[in-house]
């Protein structure tokens, strides 16, 4: 009896695993964790594959529901389907074994280090910076972990001081813990995590590094976070 016969009508976990077992498709999903829409040509260049090969892989990912697509003129744009999909990819990355062939060239090493220091995870901050901010908010009583992650009154007041209003209630939780794949510790996700990340970009606390999802903390960001959360928030 195969796995499909064991639970008829149930979720086909093996099919999902097979989709992500391909290195090119997995690489596409990791690249799309920056939250932006990419064209097939951009993803092909990123993965170092032919455009026709990229198209075939993207068709499978879109057909599975992991990605969504939209067309503008002759261009086809794809992105991760939703925050839940992004969280799934990030969690799988945190559980995946480290590569046996670490980057050796100086540019590759620098890219890897930049991603580990600070990056976007779909629409919220991750890496050492995301974890440091989360822990600083916890230390200051803005986040409560006793019965699952929750935003406290102090946290709501702090966001209001920054000009960040709590997002309206939706299916997406206000705060969520997301296990960071480089730090192996949780960072803040959910609607509040996304709002804080948008504020960091709008206030020029962070800026993107090239076309990757790595971000750099600016001098303005260092001063702002140190003033509001203490020096531990910028120790990356």
């Amino acid at each position: 009896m195969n796995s499909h016969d064991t639970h008829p009508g149930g979720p086909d976990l093996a099919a999902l695993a097979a989709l992500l077992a391909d290195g090119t498709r997995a690489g596409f999903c990791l690249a799309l964790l920056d939250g932006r829409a990419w064209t097939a040509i951009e993803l092909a260049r990123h993965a170092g594959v032919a455009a026709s090969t990229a198209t075939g892989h993207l068709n499978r990912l879109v057909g599975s529901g992991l990605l969504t697509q939209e067309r503008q003129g002759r261009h086809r744009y794809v992105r991760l389907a939703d925050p839940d999909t992004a969280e799934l990819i990030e969690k799988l990355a945190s559980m995946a074994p480290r590569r046996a062939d670490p980057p050796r060239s100086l540019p590759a090493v620098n890219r890897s280090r930049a991603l580990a220091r600070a990056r976007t995870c779909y629409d919220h901050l991750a890496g050492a910076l995301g974890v440091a901010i989360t822990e600083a908010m916890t230390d200051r009583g803005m986040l409560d972990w006793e019965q699952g992650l929750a935003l406290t009154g102090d946290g709501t007041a702090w966001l209001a001081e920054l000009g960040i209003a709590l997002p309206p209630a939706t299916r997406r939780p206000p705060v969520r813990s997301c296990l960071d794949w480089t730090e192996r510790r949780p960072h803040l996700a959910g609607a509040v995590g996304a709002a804080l990340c948008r504020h960091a970009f709008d206030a020029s606390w962070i800026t993107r590094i090239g076309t990757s999802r790595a971000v750099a903390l600016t001098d303005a960001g260092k001063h702002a976070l140190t003033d509001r959360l203490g020096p531990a928030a910028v120790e990356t």
Side-chain angles (χ1 to χ4, degrees):
M1 180 180 293
N2 61 38
S3 60
H4 296 280
D5 296 327
T6 305
H7 300 288
D12 193 348
L13 185 59
L16 175 61
L19 271 173
L20 296 176
D22 179 87
T24 299
R25 290 194 292 272
F28 286 174
C29 290
L30 287 172
L32 290 167
L33 277 175
D34 68 358
R36 295 178 290 181
W38 290 49
T39 66
I41 293 176
E42 289 170 337
L43 285 170
R45 289 173 181 164
H46 175 80
V49 298
S52 58
T53 300
T55 296
H57 286 306
L58 290 174
N59 287 342
R60 291 192 61 181
L61 290 169
V62 170
S64 72
L66 288 177
L67 304 186
T68 59
Q69 67 177 353
E70 57 184 85
R71 294 187 179 274
Q72 292 186 7
R74 293 183 297 175
H75 293 290
R76 175 198 194 191
Y77 291 87
V78 296
R79 65 171 74 242
L80 292 177
D82 51 36
D84 288 339
T85 303
E87 183 181 4
L88 169 67
I89 300 301
E90 183 80 4
K91 281 187 175 180
L92 288 174
S94 72
M95 299 173 67
R98 301 297 94 186
R99 291 184 179 275
D101 53 340
R104 299 184 183 278
S105 69
L106 183 58
V109 169
N110 287 338
R111 285 194 297 271
S112 179
R113 289 176 176 172
L115 279 172
R117 277 195 303 270
R119 64 183 182 275
T120 52
C121 174
Y122 192 60
D123 60 0
H124 56 271
L125 287 171
L129 178 62
V131 171
I133 290 173
T134 302
E135 293 181 347
M137 291 178 68
T138 300
D139 291 342
R140 290 181 173 244
M142 300 174 187
L143 296 173
D144 182 5
W145 297 77
E146 286 190 6
Q147 296 181 340
L149 182 58
L151 184 70
T152 67
D154 287 344
T156 301
W158 182 74
L159 291 172
E161 289 176 5
L162 293 176
I164 301 175
L166 285 180
T170 63
R171 188 175 66 87
R172 188 180 190 186
V175 291
R176 175 182 285 177
S177 169
C178 184
L179 183 61
D180 196 277
W181 67 268
T182 51
E183 295 297 301
R184 304 299 175 98
R185 291 179 288 163
H187 60 244
L188 178 63
V192 170
L196 184 57
C197 183
R198 284 195 302 272
H199 179 81
F201 275 117
D202 292 343
S204 298
W205 291 0
I206 56 175
T207 183
R208 289 198 183 276
I209 299 176
T211 59
S212 77
R213 61 191 182 108
V215 299
L217 184 64
T218 65
D219 288 339
K222 290 177 184 177
H223 291 310
L225 288 172
T226 299
D227 288 344
R228 291 165 172 80
L229 292 175
V234 297
E235 291 178 355
T236 61

